[in-house]
Amino acid sequence: DAKTTQPPSMDCAEGRAANLPCNHSTISGNEYVYWYRQIHSQGPQYIIHGLKNNETNEMASLIITEDRKSSTLILPHATLRDTAVYYCIVREGGTSYGKLTFGQGTILTVHP
Amino acid sequence: NAGVTQTPKFRVLKTGQSMTLLCAQDMNHEYMYWYRQDPGMGLRLIHYSVGEGTTAKGEVPDGYNVSRLKKQNFLLGLESAAPSQTSVYFCASKAYREVTEAFFGQGTRLTVV
């Protein structure tokens, strides 16, 4: 699975958009980009995933560059409850057992 | 719908004691996983199961055993607990390998003294 690089921490004002970057320069053609988050003391929570097209759901938007070497997770209107560690994960869609490799992630702090 | 439930939520063990962590899911998922999370290490896969009656080793299986006798339950056993097994343990499940979303439990905080 391709390795990802994320900034260790970011800040965002409540109500503003939070844009979390992820570099995955060694991604291969059949690897998907996933985002999970972990709020303090809770289990990780799925946010969104994509292959090469931009994706949007009720939680966030995922923007993947045309060369697929980087992506950005966008929380359009961050709230205090969005304070969490955000993990960008890249893996093959049909991996035999669906293992998720979690790196260190980005600690997002949303402040009033 | 409870999702993924882990029992217990907290436990303190003495070195050498044994215990079993229970993970139960009510979503009829095929795949189940046990991870551990340590400070600065991220989540690491201990064991996983791709269906009832099957188990396989992950990245850090030593000192742990697992069983999947029923589809909805995945048990993680520590036969002789060591201080190095102090960690937060998370169970996860997903419907089948092509489905991307994994659901995680709330974790079990285990301390071995």
Side-chain angles (χ1 to χ4, degrees), chain B residues 2 4 6 10 12-13 23 37 40 42 47 49 51-52 70 87 91 111-113:
Chain B
V4 178
Q6 293 184 228
F10 303 93
V12 178
L13 281 181
C23 177
Q37 186 171 33
H47 285 282
S49 169
E52 182 179 312
K70 294 183 178 181
S87 187
C91 176
T111 302
V112 182
V113 297

Side-chain angles (χ1 to χ4, degrees), chain A residues 37 39 75 77-86 108-110:
Chain A
R37 73 179 182 182
I39 297 170
L75 307 178
H77 305 287
T79 70
L80 299 179
R81 287 178 292 183
D82 291 321
T83 293
V85 180
Y86 286 78
L108 175 67
T109 303
V110 181

Side-chain angles (χ1 to χ4, degrees), chain A residues 36 38 49 91 96-97 100, chain B residues 33 35 37 48 94 100 102:
Chain A
Y36 281 76
Q38 188 173 21
H49 75 280
R91 74 167 185 86
S96 61
Y97 58 90
L100 295 170
Chain B
Y33 312 84
Y35 289 86
Q37 186 171 33
Y48 65 97
K94 62 187 299 186
T100 56

Side-chain angles (χ1 to χ4, degrees), chain A residues 31-92:
Chain A
E31 289 183 312
Y32 287 73
V33 179
Y34 301 75
W35 284 84
Y36 281 76
R37 73 179 182 182
Q38 188 173 21
I39 297 170
H40 182 63
S41 298
Q42 297 183 20
Q45 176 190 25
Y46 167 82
I47 302 173
I48 199 168
H49 75 280
L51 182 61
K52 53 184 177 181
N53 297 319
N54 297 339
E55 303 287 345
T56 295
N57 62 20
E58 65 278 4
M59 290 182 67
S61 294
L62 174 60
I63 308 298
I64 302 174
T65 59
E66 190 169 346
D67 63 7
R68 301 210 324 122
K69 296 186 178 200
S70 66
S71 60
T72 301
L73 177 74
I74 300 172
L75 307 178
H77 305 287
T79 70
L80 299 179
R81 287 178 292 183
D82 291 321
T83 293
V85 180
Y86 286 78
Y87 297 99
C88 171
I89 300 168
V90 172
R91 74 167 185 86
E92 186 178 343

Side-chain angles (χ1 to χ4, degrees), chain B residues 36 62-64 77-78 80-89 110-112:
Chain B
R36 61 177 287 174
D62 293 344
Y64 305 96
L78 286 73
S80 179
S84 60
Q85 294 177 303
T86 294
S87 187
V88 181
Y89 292 86
L110 176 67
T111 302
V112 182

